[in-house]
């Protein structure tokens, strides 16, 4: 028997192309198992999908169907620290708040409790895909992968490498770090998950040696894996990189073959034109983390310059530098921090809500090298989607007048939260 076709009928909004928002009024998306099999106007439905194996979901006038949100940078093990330790600059913040918390993930029970909570919370905000940093502990990071698999979230999961400049009780030897990374990759492959995959995760340049970076670049190539790390986040960090490696920060990664077309670089607040060109040439992507950049006072990233330089960009919550694990919040901060830059530059065209929506969906998919699978409603892509309702019971904003679909999207970007995310689907499966 043919498997059931799910028909979602109503106002559909997505980005088919970079920075272009498409609205299909009274449209439909047809889904079979995990995949989108047709997209169009509901008028085209008359002679299609007439068999009994069709299940219809009709959206109301206050609802829109949008692609799932993509968090291109989040530290799952920092979730308990959300909202504490703010106002300190990066290196002090790591030492005082972050490393002491991450150390607790040696405990499997604590790991499971925290990781289940993070995955549930991010799913509730509509994050259908997340690029997660775990801790330095392999077994704990495997528990994070298990949480994502069990709760149905798509994810890239990384065991962090930290062999230098860490506290004495939260650090690895180089030998251990590389051996454990191999073990992590091997254990992940045994899970055989379609949705949850490993990612090579050197914490940042100064947390590992030149040799470690080179070995990790080789490992990424050997197993054809994506890579995530931090780049040019904070001025003191950049100074430290210069002191230890005697070269520009992006070149430290480039010389270790870590800048690939499957590399995600978080922050990039202080990249220069020549760096942007290098990232574009390598096909590497930037995870823009505007909330974290403000909280720990790293600076304001001119993300428009990076976008206009031809680099792939997605949004990251960067919990717990970021104090919310909601990508909706990340969209808002992308808009606000860009607006601030426009005040001192008359010709500056800041990020608007449509741009932010692109960055949170198709932009994020491209940044994670997953745009052949997710990011928009395209036939043959997986169905990762949200039903958003701007008039839920006890919602964050009173819905006193009817809104056009694009106004609903704008409202969602500016005032939306988990109460507005009515349903979440990952690979065709309802997970909220
Ligand atoms: N650089 C190195 N480690 C971290 C981290 O945990 N968070 C942020 N924001 N930057 C980092
Ligand atoms: Fe980070």
């Amino acid at each position: 028997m043919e498997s059931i076709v799910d028909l979602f009928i109503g106002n559909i909004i997505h980005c088919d192309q970079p920075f272009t928002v498409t609205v299909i009024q009274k449209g439909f998306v047809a889904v079979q198992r995990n995949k989108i099999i047709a997209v169009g106007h509901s008028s085209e439905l008359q002679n299609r999908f007439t068999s009994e194996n069709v299940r219809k979901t009709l959206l109301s006038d206050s609802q829109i169907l949008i692609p799932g949100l993509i968090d291109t940078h989040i530290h799952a093990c920092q979730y308990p620290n959300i909202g504490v330790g703010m106002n300190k600059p990066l290196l002090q913040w790591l030492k005082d708040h972050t490393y002491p918390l991450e150390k607790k993930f040696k405990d499997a029970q604590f790991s499971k409790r925290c990781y289940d909570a993070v995955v549930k919370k991010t799913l509730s905000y509509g994050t259908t895909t997340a690029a997660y940093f775990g801790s330095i502990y392999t077994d704990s990071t495997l528990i994070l992968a298990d949480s994502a698999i069990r709760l149905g979230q798509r994810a890239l999961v990384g065991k962090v490498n930290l062999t230098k400049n860490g506290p004495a009780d939260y650090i690895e030897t180089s030998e251990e770090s590389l051996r454990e990374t191999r073990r992590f990759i091997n254990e992940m492959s045994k899970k055989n998950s379609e949705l949850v995959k490993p990612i090579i995760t050197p914490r940042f340049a100064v947390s590992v040696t030149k040799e470690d970076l080179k070995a990790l670049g080789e490992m990424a190539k050997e197993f054809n894996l994506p890579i995530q790390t931090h780049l040019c986040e904070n001025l003191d960090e950049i100074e430290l990189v210069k002191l230890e490696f005697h070269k520009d920060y992006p070149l430290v990664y480039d010389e270790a073959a870590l800048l690939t077309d499957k590399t995600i670089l978080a922050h990039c607040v202080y990249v220069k034109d020549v760096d942007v060109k290098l990232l574009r040439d390598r096909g590497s992507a930037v995870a823009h983390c505007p909330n974290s950049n403000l909280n720990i006072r790293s600076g304001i990233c001119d993300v428009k310059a990076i976008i206009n330089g031809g680099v792939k960009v997605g949004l990251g919550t960067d919990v717990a530098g970021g104090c919310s694990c909601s990508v909706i919040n990340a969209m808002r901060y992308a808009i606000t921090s860009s607006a601030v830059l426009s005040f001192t530059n008359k010709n500056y065209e800041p990020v608007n809500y449509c741009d932010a929506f692109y960055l949170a969906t198709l932009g994020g998919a491209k940044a994670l090298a997953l745009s052949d699978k997710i990011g928009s409603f395209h036939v043959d892509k997986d169905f990762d989607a949200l039903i958003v309702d701007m008039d839920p019971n006890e919602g964050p904003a009173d819905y006193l007048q009817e809104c056009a679909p694009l106004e609903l999207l704008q409202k969602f970007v500016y005032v939306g939260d988990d109460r507005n995310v009515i349903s979440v689907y990952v690979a065709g499966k309802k997970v909220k």
Side-chain angles (χ1 to χ4, degrees):
M1 199 177 84
E2 277 281 287
S3 63
I4 284 183
V5 173
D6 264 303
L7 276 183
F8 296 85
I9 301 168
N11 292 319
I12 291 153
I13 306 183
H14 69 143
C15 296
D16 225 356
Q17 299 293 325
F19 298 100
T20 309
V21 176
T22 300
V23 180
I24 312 174
Q25 265 185 317
K26 299 195 172 71
F28 76 90
V29 176
V31 180
Q32 198 164 32
R33 293 188 211 92
N34 57 318
K35 285 207 182 303
I36 297 167
I37 58 165
V39 181
H41 290 276
S42 49
S43 60
E44 300 159 29
L45 276 173
Q46 281 181 348
N47 303 314
R48 296 176 76 181
F49 309 112
T50 48
S51 84
E52 283 172 11
N53 278 339
V54 170
R55 190 166 49 196
K56 288 183 180 170
T57 302
L58 299 175
L59 274 65
S60 74
D61 286 347
S62 64
Q63 295 179 338
I64 50 177
L65 184 77
I66 64 170
L69 304 179
I70 298 174
D71 190 343
T72 63
H73 185 77
I74 171 166
H75 298 261
C77 61
Q78 294 174 21
Y79 181 60
N81 262 355
I82 272 192
V84 298
M86 303 281 85
N87 310 337
K88 285 187 191 172
L90 176 67
L91 300 177
Q92 197 65 39
W93 171 81
L94 284 172
K95 187 162 170 276
D96 294 351
H97 299 279
T98 308
Y99 294 148
L101 170 60
E102 291 193 13
K103 203 169 63 188
K104 294 187 186 167
F105 284 77
K106 208 177 170 102
D107 181 330
Q109 262 183 332
F110 181 68
S111 300
K112 180 168 186 314
R113 205 150 65 87
C114 173
Y115 288 149
D116 277 355
V118 174
V119 174
K120 278 183 198 155
K121 192 76 170 177
T122 53
L123 278 174
S124 80
Y125 280 114
T127 301
T128 49
T129 300
Y132 285 120
F133 278 55
S135 65
I136 65 172
Y137 307 116
T138 303
D139 291 325
S140 169
T141 308
L142 289 166
I143 291 171
L144 168 57
D146 288 339
S147 296
I149 292 169
R150 190 170 4 90
L151 296 165
Q153 192 173 50
R154 193 185 298 273
L156 298 173
V157 177
K159 174 237 170 295
V160 168
N161 303 100
L162 175 56
T163 67
K164 235 178 63 187
N165 288 321
D169 55 355
Y170 186 62
I171 198 150
E172 328 159 275
T173 64
S174 291
E175 192 273 326
E176 188 184 5
S177 187
L178 297 172
R179 174 168 36 84
E180 284 295 302
T181 304
R182 267 184 191 278
R183 183 165 80 83
F184 179 71
I185 295 166
N186 189 36
E187 291 297 321
M188 286 296 294
S189 77
K190 287 187 204 162
K191 295 186 191 295
N192 208 15
S193 168
E194 265 302 307
L195 300 182
V196 181
K197 309 274 188 194
I199 180 166
I200 297 288
T201 307
R203 182 167 207 123
F204 61 157
V206 294
S207 74
V208 281
T209 66
K210 188 174 149 189
E211 292 73 29
D212 297 339
L213 287 172
K214 196 154 169 280
L216 291 168
E218 282 165 9
M219 219 183 283
K221 189 164 181 213
E222 180 184 344
F223 295 99
N224 190 25
L225 292 180
I227 297 162
Q228 61 181 353
T229 187
H230 297 87
L231 176 66
C232 296
E233 177 177 3
N234 160 293
L235 290 172
D236 292 334
E237 170 212 23
I238 292 169
E239 254 327 287
L240 196 57
V241 172
K242 194 109 210 173
L243 209 67
E244 298 207 353
F245 292 91
H246 310 288
K247 56 174 66 98
D248 275 354
Y249 200 162
L251 295 179
V252 174
Y253 292 143
D254 196 38
E255 287 175 16
L258 285 165
L259 297 184
T260 73
D261 59 2
K262 287 198 286 186
T263 299
I264 308 132
L265 301 151
H267 302 282
C268 296
V269 176
Y270 295 102
V271 286
K272 303 184 289 283
D273 289 350
V274 55
D275 304 331
V276 170
K277 191 170 175 308
L278 176 68
L279 300 189
R280 188 199 59 197
D281 289 350
R282 296 290 181 261
S284 300
V286 169
H288 178 42
C289 306
N291 181 226
S292 169
N293 292 341
L294 291 169
N295 285 340
I296 54 175
R297 300 173 180 180
S298 299
I300 294 183
C301 174
D302 185 353
V303 75
K304 283 301 284 256
I306 296 173
I307 291 164
N308 293 339
V311 176
K312 297 178 286 186
V313 178
L315 293 181
T317 58
D318 194 33
V319 166
C323 58
S324 163
C325 58
S326 157
V327 177
I328 315 162
N329 184 67
M331 287 195 274
R332 285 200 276 274
Y333 273 89
I335 294 167
T336 312
S337 63
S338 181
V340 171
L341 292 178
S342 73
F343 301 152
T344 47
N345 181 352
K346 260 198 182 150
N347 301 319
Y348 198 81
E349 191 60 55
V351 170
N352 63 33
Y353 78 95
C354 290
D355 302 333
F357 176 62
Y358 166 73
L359 295 175
T361 55
L362 186 60
K366 284 180 185 287
L368 301 187
L370 289 172
S371 59
D372 58 335
K373 264 217 158 89
I374 54 169
S376 60
F377 297 128
H378 207 274
V379 172
D380 280 342
K381 282 195 183 185
D382 275 13
F383 183 67
D384 285 18
L386 317 180
I387 296 177
V388 166
D389 191 341
M390 293 317 296
D391 186 24
N393 292 331
E394 297 177 55
D398 289 326
Y399 186 76
L400 296 171
Q401 61 178 351
E402 270 194 26
C403 293
L406 267 183
E407 290 174 327
L408 292 174
L409 177 68
Q410 188 170 11
K411 258 185 186 288
F412 179 59
V413 170
Y414 277 91
V415 302
D417 63 29
D418 53 334
R419 291 167 291 184
N420 301 101
V421 179
I422 301 300
S423 305
V424 179
Y425 298 84
V426 178
K429 188 168 167 235
K430 189 167 177 176
V431 293
K432 173 182 174 181

